[in-house]
Amino acid sequence: MRIAVCDDDELCLKDECALITETASEMGIDCEAECFTDPAELISVKEKYEIIFLDVEMKSMSGIEAAEMIHKQNSGALIFFVTNHEGYMDEALNKHAFRFWIKPINKQRLVYGIESALVELRNADKYLQVMIEGKLARVPVGEIIYAYAENKSTRLVTKSGIVAVKEPFKNVVMRLPAEFFCRSHASYCINMNYVVRYDKSNVVCRCGEIEYTAYMSKRYYSAFSRRFICWAGDHI
């Protein structure tokens, strides 16, 4: 696994790299962690990293700006923002954040984060096979924001738009990976990676600058809330 760590505080960078390398080794993961003090240098590297740890506050360029540029070159990279201030969370989560952590990195949280990243990377190559306009098609699972029922068919709200699937909702939901998808309503199933907030009536998902609203029902609220807390507990 190729990992990059970027922080313009050299002492902090050294400590983080050592912790990440040591933790990955203990988990039995073959890890190459490369350290950068300048985000511009990281961006210029042609090799693609699977996981990137980014400090948010850096003098030459903020981690949030760097993440935007990295995502254009390598949209599959999972970005862990690491900062001293929680105030950056909303902006960071809107800029391709896989996790958002307050310094110093907690080792137990790091283990869970790496395990979650491995699951995400495995699922990145997965596709949902469905019938679209009478033809068999493959939709990348990671690009599905949520699915909902419409009459006897299903609609997939994806990063590229809405896809109409001529298949019952219950059949589609059964094939969505349980690691990331959770029902919020009898007719809605949400990808937890896109959730930014929810209440007893709605779930708001965000992809880039666009927000999407799905329904929440009282019947599913408690289970959804427990699942979200479990899933997102290591973001902060």
Side-chain angles (χ1 to χ4, degrees), residues 65-137:
E65 291 175 302
E68 189 69 31
M69 298 177 72
I70 289 167
H71 185 74
K72 290 177 182 178
Q73 299 175 348
N74 180 14
S75 61
L78 301 181
I79 297 175
F80 288 68
F81 284 107
V82 186
T83 180
N84 288 313
H85 303 287
E86 289 187 26
Y88 292 106
M89 177 182 281
D90 286 343
E91 188 178 1
L93 290 178
N94 196 31
K95 294 296 182 183
H96 320 294
F98 181 70
R99 291 292 184 269
F100 181 97
W101 290 338
I102 302 301
K103 294 181 180 180
I105 296 176
N106 175 279
K107 187 167 184 175
Q108 184 176 356
R109 181 171 287 174
L110 177 61
V111 170
Y112 183 78
I114 292 175
E115 288 175 345
S116 299
L118 291 172
V119 172
E120 176 80 4
L121 291 167
R122 285 196 295 268
N123 278 292
D125 294 328
K126 289 186 177 179
Y127 292 85
L128 178 69
Q129 290 195 347
V130 291
M131 294 298 294
I132 300 174
E133 297 181 352
K135 297 180 180 179
L136 187 64

Side-chain angles (χ1 to χ4, degrees), residues 107-196:
K107 187 167 184 175
Q108 184 176 356
R109 181 171 287 174
L110 177 61
V111 170
Y112 183 78
I114 292 175
E115 288 175 345
S116 299
L118 291 172
V119 172
E120 176 80 4
L121 291 167
R122 285 196 295 268
N123 278 292
D125 294 328
K126 289 186 177 179
Y127 292 85
L128 178 69
Q129 290 195 347
V130 291
M131 294 298 294
I132 300 174
E133 297 181 352
K135 297 180 180 179
L136 187 64
R138 299 199 310 165
V139 180
V141 167
E143 294 191 5
I144 300 172
I145 301 167
Y146 65 88
Y148 67 95
E150 186 169 280
N151 298 320
K152 295 182 180 181
S153 299
T154 304
R155 296 291 183 271
L156 302 177
V157 178
T158 76
K159 293 169 70 173
S160 305
I162 298 177
V163 177
V165 178
K166 290 293 184 180
E167 191 174 345
F169 176 71
K170 65 178 182 179
N171 292 355
V172 174
V173 169
M174 287 174 59
R175 302 201 304 277
L176 293 173
E179 296 99 330
F180 304 115
F181 286 85
C182 182
R183 298 280 284 274
S184 65
H185 185 281
S187 301
Y188 283 76
C189 190
I190 315 294
N191 186 336
M192 306 301 277
N193 285 302
Y194 293 98
V195 176
V196 290

Side-chain angles (χ1 to χ4, degrees), residues 205-219:
C205 299
R206 182 184 293 151
C207 180
E209 303 297 332
I210 303 173
E211 288 194 348
Y212 304 82
T213 302
Y215 288 121
M216 173 75 78
S217 70
K218 292 180 180 178
R219 175 186 171 190

